[in-house]
């Protein structure tokens, strides 16, 4: 009887164990340590099935996890990290450390503000320079192929370019003011660093006070390095932009003359004749003229030659002054010749002042000469 009860129990156990091998491994993956496939046990629905089941693509997307928050904006080139905080030790030296730390925080706030302002000015100057050069390129391209004298379209573009250049000059002025502020911060951070270093010599400190002073000294030194670097960059930019504005103002003057003439004179025959005549003006035994302008016809285009000669003289001797001498011929009506000659000299003077030369650096005089056949204006350097 015992045999008959044991046999059915053993048979059931065998059948149960055997049935485990028929379990779908996709439902119970083997314990091999490998993860189950991502699509295990899932059946891909066709488009028709999704439509029949009312699966909405928009609803599915709305169930997707929210995107990660946007990364913070990168810090500027001269932005300082925050000053490290530390608990107060309660000692006299600890109180001194707190005071110095507050001073450094206030100083770094100003440095960061000045740094942000500097980068704002840089971005403004870059955008304005690009617009300026784009306008000048359009003007030069038109002048290169030739156009009408005093073309109003070119005059309008020239005015726009001049406005952009004045904006750059205003940015340079802002950088000058900013440099003064940064220079003050550089001096203050130097004094603060000396104060932090001298705090190590105070009595009544514990080890934690000196540890905090060490951290504060490192952060103050880093602030000093960055502040001086910002000041150096500002100084270099101011010098470069000042020279740039001065050069472009002369370029604008040159372009204004070209617009008036309807094209660039450059090294044309007229320009070469003016310069060669000026170099050869030694027959009278007088000093050599920089430029000789012969008004032997109407509308003499002398501006480009005058501009080139004066610009070269100013580059060689920046503090040069100039003499404008009107030369009237003795033939014919002398009084009329002298009046016309003086009027021509005044016209040359206006051209020089339009080019940016101060009238205080120009002297006017008149003379007569039997060797000339037409009214002339001689320009000398002194």
């Amino acid at each position: 009887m015992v045999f008959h009860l044991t046999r059915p129990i053993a048979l059931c156990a065998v059948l149960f164990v055997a049935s485990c091998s028929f379990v779908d491994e996709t439902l119970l993956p083997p314990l091999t340590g490998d993860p189950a496939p991502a699509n295990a046990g899932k059946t891909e629905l066709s488009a028709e099935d999704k439509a029949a089941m009312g699966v909405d693509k928009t609803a599915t997307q709305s169930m997707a996890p929210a995107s990660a928050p946007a990364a913070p904006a990168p810090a500027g080139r001269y932005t300082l990290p925050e000053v490290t905080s530390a608990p107060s030790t309660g000692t006299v030296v600890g109180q001194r450390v707190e005071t110095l730390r507050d001073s450094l925080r206030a100083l770094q706030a100003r440095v960061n503000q000045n740094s942000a302002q500097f980068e704002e000015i840089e971005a403004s100057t870059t955008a304005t320079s690009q617009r300026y050069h784009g306008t000048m390129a359009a003007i030069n391209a038109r002048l290169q192929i030739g156009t009408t004298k005093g073309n109003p379209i070119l005059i309008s573009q020239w005015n726009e370019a001049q406005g952009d250049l004045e904006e750059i000059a205003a940015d340079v002025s802002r950088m000058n003011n900013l440099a003064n502020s940064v220079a003050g911060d550089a001096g203050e951070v130097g004094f603060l660093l000396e104060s932090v270093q001298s705090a190590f010599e105070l009595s009544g400190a514990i080890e934690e006070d000196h540890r905090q002073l060490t951290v504060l000294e490192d952060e103050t030194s880093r602030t000093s390095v960055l502040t001086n670097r910002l000041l150096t960059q500002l100084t270099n930019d101011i010098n470069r932009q000042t020279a740039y504005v001065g050069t472009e103002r002369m370029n604008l003057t040159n372009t204004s003359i070209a617009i008036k003439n309807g094209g660039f004179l450059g090294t044309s025959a007229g320009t070469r004749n003016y310069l060669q005549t000026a170099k050869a003006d030694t027959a009278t035994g007088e000093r050599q003229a920089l430029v000789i302008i012969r008004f032997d016809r109407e509308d003499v285009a002398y501006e480009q030659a005058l501009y080139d000669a004066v610009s070269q003289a100013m580059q060689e001797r920046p503090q040069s002054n100039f003499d404008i001498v009107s030369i009237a011929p003795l033939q014919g009506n002398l009084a009329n010749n002298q009046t016309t000659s003086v009027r021509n000299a005044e016209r040359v003077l206006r051209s020089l002042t339009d080019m940016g030369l101060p009238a205080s650096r120009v002297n006017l005089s008149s003379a007569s000469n039997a060797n000339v056949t037409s009214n002339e204006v001689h320009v000398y350097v002194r």
Side-chain angles (χ1 to χ4, degrees), residues 6-312:
T6 306
R7 185 176 181 181
I9 293 173
L11 181 60
C12 291
V14 171
L15 292 175
F16 178 78
V17 173
S19 65
C20 292
S21 62
F22 295 99
V23 178
D24 190 355
E25 291 184 355
T26 61
L27 298 178
L28 295 176
L31 300 178
T32 60
D34 298 329
N39 58 351
K42 297 182 181 179
T43 303
E44 183 68 19
L45 296 177
S46 64
E48 293 78 8
D49 294 337
K50 291 180 179 180
M53 296 175 63
V55 178
D56 186 15
K57 182 177 179 181
T58 304
T60 304
Q61 293 178 348
S62 64
M63 296 174 62
S67 59
R77 289 175 296 167
Y78 304 99
T79 302
L80 287 163
E82 295 183 359
V83 179
T84 304
S85 300
S88 175
T89 61
T91 64
V92 175
V93 178
Q95 295 175 358
R96 177 61 175 167
V97 173
E98 291 180 7
T99 301
L100 294 173
R101 188 182 294 120
D102 291 340
S103 299
L104 181 59
R105 284 197 181 99
L107 180 60
Q108 284 193 354
R110 293 200 303 272
V111 173
N112 288 337
Q113 182 179 2
N114 291 335
S115 172
Q117 185 179 356
F118 172 59
E119 295 189 355
E120 177 190 351
I121 295 174
E122 270 193 329
S124 173
T125 303
T126 300
T128 307
S129 297
Q130 291 174 347
R131 187 170 61 247
Y132 168 79
H133 284 289
T135 305
M136 291 298 292
I139 296 174
N140 292 334
R142 187 58 185 167
L143 291 173
Q144 186 68 29
I145 61 176
T147 183
T148 57
K149 293 183 177 182
N151 190 322
I153 296 177
L154 297 185
I155 293 176
S156 176
Q157 291 177 327
W158 187 90
N159 290 332
E160 292 177 5
Q162 186 185 41
D164 290 336
L165 190 61
E166 292 307 317
E167 286 187 20
I168 297 175
D171 287 340
V172 174
S173 178
R174 292 173 58 193
M175 281 194 287
N176 270 310
N177 296 333
L178 184 60
N180 294 332
S181 177
V182 174
D185 293 340
E188 184 174 344
V189 72
F191 175 77
L192 182 61
L193 182 59
E194 293 178 358
S195 300
V196 173
Q197 293 171 345
S198 63
F200 282 98
E201 305 299 328
L202 297 176
S203 62
I206 60 176
E207 293 180 354
E208 176 62 18
D209 292 331
H210 279 198
R211 189 195 68 81
Q212 293 185 17
L213 277 173
T214 301
V215 174
L216 186 60
E217 182 184 17
D218 293 342
E219 294 177 341
T220 307
S221 297
R222 182 171 53 197
T223 303
S224 177
V225 170
L226 187 141
T227 304
N228 284 283
R229 186 178 302 161
L230 175 60
L231 181 60
T232 300
Q233 184 65 42
L234 270 167
T235 303
N236 293 337
D237 280 7
I238 289 170
N239 294 335
R240 182 171 56 252
Q241 295 297 337
T242 300
Y244 167 81
V245 170
T247 300
E248 289 305 315
R249 278 176 173 163
M250 296 180 66
N251 187 29
L252 274 176
T253 302
N254 190 14
T255 305
S256 174
I257 297 172
I259 293 174
K260 179 181 178 182
N261 295 326
F264 289 110
L265 294 179
T267 56
S268 65
T271 302
R272 290 196 298 270
N273 286 338
Y274 285 133
L275 297 179
Q276 290 173 0
T277 303
K279 292 179 180 179
D281 184 33
T282 58
T284 61
E286 300 176 353
R287 56 177 174 164
Q288 184 175 351
L290 178 67
V291 174
I292 296 177
I293 307 172
R294 288 194 174 93
F295 289 92
D296 54 357
R297 61 186 182 274
E298 295 293 333
D299 196 18
V300 176
Y302 64 88
E303 287 90 350
Q304 184 68 52
L306 179 64
Y307 174 80
D308 292 341
V310 171
S311 298
Q312 183 176 355

